[in-house]
Amino acid sequence: MLSRDERILNLKANPEVSVLIVGAGINGIGVFWDLALQGVDVLLIDQGDYASGASAASSHMAHGGIRYLENGEFRLVREAVQERNRLIENAPHLVNPLPTTFPIFKWFSGLLNAPLKFLGMLDRPSERGALVIKIGMTLYDLYTREQGTVPKHTFLGRKRSLQQFPALNPEVIFTGTYFDGAIHSPERLAAELIIDAVSVNRKAIPLNYVSLAGMSENSVQLQDELSGKSFTIHPKVIVNAGGPWIDSVNRTLGMETRYIGGTKGSHLVLDHPQLRKAIGEHEFFFENKDGRIVLIFPLADRVLIGTTDIRVDDPDDIAITDEEVQYFLDMIRRVFPGIRVDPSQIVFTFSGVRPLENSEASLTGQISREHKIEQYQVGLSPSIPVLSLVGGKWTTFRAFAEQAADQVLEDLNLPRRTSTAGIRIGGGKGFPDSKVSRKEWVSRVCTTSGLSEDRIETLLSRYGTRAEQIAIHIASSQDHALRNYPSFSIGEIETIVQQEDVVRLDDFLLRRSMLGMLGRSSKAGLIELGEEIGKVIGWNAQRINYEIQRTIEILKTEHRMDISRYLIDKEMQPSLVMEY
Ligand SMILES: Cc1cc2nc3c(=O)[nH]c(=O)nc-3n(C[C@H](O)[C@H](O)[C@H](O)COP(=O)(O)OP(=O)(O)OC[C@H]3O[C@@H](n4cnc5c(N)ncnc54)[C@H](O)[C@@H]3O)c2cc1C
């Protein structure tokens, strides 16, 4: 891939592009990937980093949305289950079957929810009992049985439930366990889709830190957020994939819309070995006192807790509140009453806004999770179609992107060359799917690269089969492990920075790696990462300091993690930090 500066220079020289996609969350990236595979020249921009908006705030589930059955959203559940299975098959290095356990405390309640919702007579949640959950899980199995990607659900009585999960609330009468998918590192999936798009089509151009600035006649003004400089392009079709910012993107294009009525959701990441052990490799998905479905999720060696669902108008400035933290701490007690959680065990928090369609529903849980495309035209003759992608989930991104890409191809009068349904993603290509083939793969790459088995295993679980290329690069360089993050090495960081458009320190900490999310940010770690990334990009000391300071500020304001109190080294004193 050309460097970011070269891509911008080329665009300035040749400003005609068939498609401009505004917003590089998973929906924009999905359309970019699909159109690249169809051979279309397409430009993808984001005002920040790739997948840094709503797409960075997900609960890491590839899920059919069993809960949506009671809202009567059967089409959505069927599609989502199919797409969940495709993700497990096409990105097996990043998405795996996830046993999901629902502890049940009642027999019959909730039975009438779906029919009442259909008749418009339900405006409050009611607790789901064993029978309604059993029906939901059976329907779920029916939707998924042809593909057979995940096992069927099971139901356990009280005694066996407590044998399997001894810390569980003894008031439980059943546990139902069904399978969904876990997306271990969604932001890495996003990065790999971009790499795949660029590798098949040199006219597919991604640019992070470039925002939509304005529109006049048929020219669109873009602004490079790193240099502050503007440039103009002439697209034939615009895809507005602005997620929670869709209406503000439309405003910049000169059109007032009210497509989005977003809801905020927050998460905690806990360093809590006792709770981590109590859940095993199961996600616990259950109903809190207020009827809201919440989750306790195994995230590497940490525990992910989520999520809230609160209406918001402004998608910026949405860090977790004290009330949300308290809500989570109380809700853990409901299922694991003997496990104490202290706020000091919170190692990371994150929040985002679901780009849901504007709705009058009285409860946020009842707002449809469906996705749809809204269209209008801008510009002078020939006018430019603008497609706004409203809604959507990580799980269904491929299907939604396909729908949008079909519309774009029709507008451009181009044929679809290939479907994305069966295409393996990034390091999922040639991924060894069995224990035996995995062993063979690791041993082969050990021989070709000279690296240890442990090292290859780590790279394989992080990058899938892209690990081979990274291992070869590492073997040919003066590699060594990072002091603060010994499972990472400088050769590995070099490859990621060069191939994945890392332009900020937080791009690597929060999105190309799981270091930030797993609560491994430290002052020493940031300095070391800043220096190593700086060597690859060519940052001077001032820029490195600026990047460290900026990351500390992001951790503080967006994730409520204050590591600045550790700022005691001379070279890190804020007075020495220069504006970049
Ligand atoms: C709390 C929470 C939990 C969730 N959990 C799950 C889950 O477990 N499973 C699941 O499948 N889904 C989940 N989702 C849903 C899913 O994450 C989102 O629906 C999806 O990420 C939306 O992607 P998007 O591309 O539409 O929006 P975004 O990811 O927000 O992307 C929009 C992008 O547009 C950019 N942008 C805005 N304005 C401009 C401009 N003027 N110029 C350039 N760029 C601009 C933004 O910077 C942003 O990156 C969850 C969502 C939330 C909030």
Side-chain angles (χ1 to χ4, degrees):
M1 182 161 58
L2 295 176
S3 75
R4 191 176 171 280
D5 287 348
E6 286 168 330
R7 277 173 266 160
I8 292 178
L9 270 178
N10 280 354
L11 275 171
K12 285 181 180 166
N14 305 293
E16 310 292 328
V17 291
S18 289
V19 186
L20 166 68
I21 302 173
V22 182
I26 189 54
N27 287 327
I29 291 171
V31 181
F32 180 67
W33 176 60
D34 193 324
L35 289 175
L37 284 158
Q38 313 314 324
V40 176
D41 58 305
V42 52
L43 170 63
L44 171 74
I45 59 162
D46 200 289
Q47 63 188 0
D49 190 20
Y50 308 124
S52 60
S55 299
S58 93
S59 303
H60 291 222
M61 286 159 64
H63 66 141
I66 198 164
R67 185 177 74 72
Y68 311 148
L69 288 174
E70 68 178 355
N71 283 356
E73 296 187 286
F74 299 109
R75 191 214 71 83
L76 175 62
V77 177
R78 180 186 283 272
E79 176 183 79
V81 164
Q82 271 171 1
E83 291 302 320
R84 176 202 71 187
N85 290 352
R86 285 192 173 123
L87 265 178
I88 292 172
E89 281 157 20
N90 295 334
H93 58 314
L94 292 172
V95 188
N96 301 125
L98 172 73
T100 303
T101 294
F102 208 109
I104 303 161
F105 299 96
K106 292 210 170 147
W107 263 99
F108 294 110
S109 52
L111 206 53
L112 288 175
N113 282 12
L116 285 181
K117 166 82 187 174
F118 259 147
L119 296 170
M121 290 164 63
L122 186 76
D123 66 351
R124 68 189 155 71
S126 66
E127 191 167 343
R128 291 100 179 151
L131 216 57
V132 78
I133 293 168
K134 178 81 188 162
I135 293 169
M137 289 185 184
T138 308
L139 260 179
Y140 219 56
D141 283 348
L142 273 179
Y143 283 158
T144 189
R145 71 184 162 177
E146 276 153 34
Q147 287 159 294
T149 311
V150 299
K152 284 187 175 160
H153 81 272
T154 51
F155 244 61
L156 293 184
R158 179 173 182 277
K159 195 170 157 205
R160 287 186 57 203
S161 299
L162 289 171
Q163 271 166 2
Q164 189 174 2
F165 303 106
L168 199 57
N169 188 340
E171 284 174 24
V172 73
I173 57 171
F174 286 107
T175 52
T177 296
Y178 65 99
F179 279 78
D180 258 330
I183 314 177
H184 300 291
S185 174
E187 295 80 0
R188 285 221 48 77
L189 187 60
E192 293 195 2
L193 284 163
I194 293 174
I195 294 175
D196 284 0
V198 173
S199 70
V200 294
N201 182 345
R202 62 183 177 80
K203 288 199 234 152
I205 303 166
L207 282 173
N208 51 1
Y209 298 98
V210 168
S211 58
L212 176 81
M215 166 123 206
S216 52
E217 300 188 350
N218 286 29
S219 301
V220 174
Q221 285 88 49
L222 305 182
Q223 168 147 328
D224 178 354
E225 295 295 336
L226 297 187
S227 68
K229 293 193 179 129
S230 300
F231 57 103
T232 299
I233 56 152
H234 308 294
K236 293 190 186 122
V237 179
I238 298 174
V239 176
N240 176 355
W245 295 270
I246 277 183
D247 293 314
S248 102
V249 167
N250 282 334
R251 207 167 305 125
T252 309
L253 292 171
M255 180 63 100
E256 274 303 324
T257 56
R258 188 78 176 90
Y259 296 148
I260 297 290
T263 68
K264 171 193 177 186
S266 297
H267 296 84
L268 301 179
V269 179
L270 299 178
D271 175 10
H272 199 308
Q274 189 193 6
L275 183 58
R276 182 68 187 77
K277 190 165 171 231
I279 60 174
E281 294 313 312
H282 286 230
E283 173 190 27
F284 274 76
F285 200 53
F286 59 97
E287 188 169 72
N288 203 8
K289 278 181 287 193
D290 56 358
R292 184 163 167 64
I293 305 273
V294 285
L295 57 97
I296 304 182
F297 182 104
L299 189 69
D301 58 339
R302 309 297 205 206
V303 184
L304 176 68
I305 310 284
T307 168
T308 44
D309 199 9
I310 303 162
R311 278 186 198 272
V312 286
D313 289 325
D314 179 7
D316 298 304
D317 193 19
I318 43 127
I320 194 168
T321 61
D322 291 342
E323 291 73 32
E324 285 175 289
V325 172
Q326 196 54 50
Y327 176 87
F328 290 135
L329 298 184
D330 290 344
M331 138 278 213
I332 298 168
R333 236 171 276 144
R334 182 169 158 78
V335 176
F336 296 106
I339 295 183
R340 298 210 156 275
V341 182
D342 188 89
S344 66
Q345 290 166 307
I346 302 171
V347 293
F348 194 67
T349 75
F350 59 98
S351 303
V353 175
R354 301 173 185 85
L356 307 179
E357 67 172 303
N358 198 9
S359 155
E360 299 297 315
S362 54
L363 286 171
T364 49
Q366 290 173 350
I367 303 173
S368 170
R369 264 50 178 175
E370 271 285 7
H371 49 79
K372 62 177 181 188
I373 300 171
E374 298 281 358
Q375 292 189 59
Y376 64 87
Q377 311 264 331
V378 287
L380 303 173
S381 177
S383 58
I384 303 172
V386 179
L387 280 59
S388 299
L389 310 192
V390 178
K393 306 179 332 141
W394 262 97
T395 315
T396 49
F397 86 86
R398 193 210 62 82
F400 193 17
E402 183 174 69
Q403 200 186 331
D406 280 343
Q407 185 58 57
V408 171
L409 291 171
E410 196 181 314
D411 288 335
L412 295 172
N413 206 12
L414 291 172
R416 171 171 284 282
R417 288 185 188 168
T418 183
S419 160
T420 50
I423 295 187
R424 289 234 171 180
I425 299 169
K429 294 182 199 90
F431 188 76
D433 288 332
S434 69
K435 269 192 186 159
V436 175
S437 58
R438 187 177 180 113
K439 215 168 175 294
E440 281 168 8
W441 196 95
V442 170
S443 132
R444 183 179 61 76
V445 179
C446 281
T447 313
T448 48
S449 66
L451 302 188
S452 72
E453 265 191 29
D454 279 357
R455 184 80 184 109
I456 299 297
E457 264 296 347
T458 303
L459 294 175
L460 181 63
S461 55
R462 241 172 233 162
Y463 308 108
T465 50
R466 281 184 69 220
E468 180 163 7
Q469 176 213 339
I470 296 171
I472 289 168
H473 174 77
I474 288 174
S476 67
S477 62
Q478 296 284 318
D479 195 47
H480 62 78
L482 265 66
R483 284 185 311 280
N484 295 282
Y485 302 115
S487 79
F488 283 85
S489 75
I490 52 165
E492 176 183 353
I493 288 184
E494 229 167 64
T495 321
I496 300 305
V497 171
Q498 280 165 352
Q499 295 188 354
E500 297 186 3
D501 266 352
V502 172
V503 296
R504 295 287 199 196
L505 173 54
D506 53 288
D507 297 346
F508 186 83
L509 185 85
L510 297 173
R511 288 170 293 275
R512 305 303 181 281
S513 77
M514 289 285 287
L515 288 170
M517 179 162 288
L518 295 176
R520 301 213 148 84
S521 309
S522 67
K523 172 206 145 197
L526 292 193
I527 294 173
E528 190 180 16
L529 277 180
E531 283 170 353
E532 293 305 338
I533 294 171
K535 277 183 207 156
V536 187
I537 303 184
W539 289 341
N540 60 20
Q542 283 181 348
R543 175 71 190 265
I544 293 172
N545 268 346
Y546 170 78
E547 290 293 332
I548 294 167
Q549 192 64 28
R550 173 189 142 94
T551 304
I552 287 170
E553 194 56 28
I554 289 171
L555 288 171
K556 193 166 158 188
T557 52
E558 294 176 23
H559 304 285
R560 288 193 60 191
M561 295 288 107
D562 189 358
I563 62 167
S564 59
R565 60 182 184 275
Y566 304 118
L567 271 178
I568 45 172
D569 276 23
K570 253 203 303 198
E571 81 272 23
M572 280 291 298
Q573 277 171 12
S575 58
L576 289 177
V577 176
M578 308 288 286
E579 274 299 311
Y580 166 70

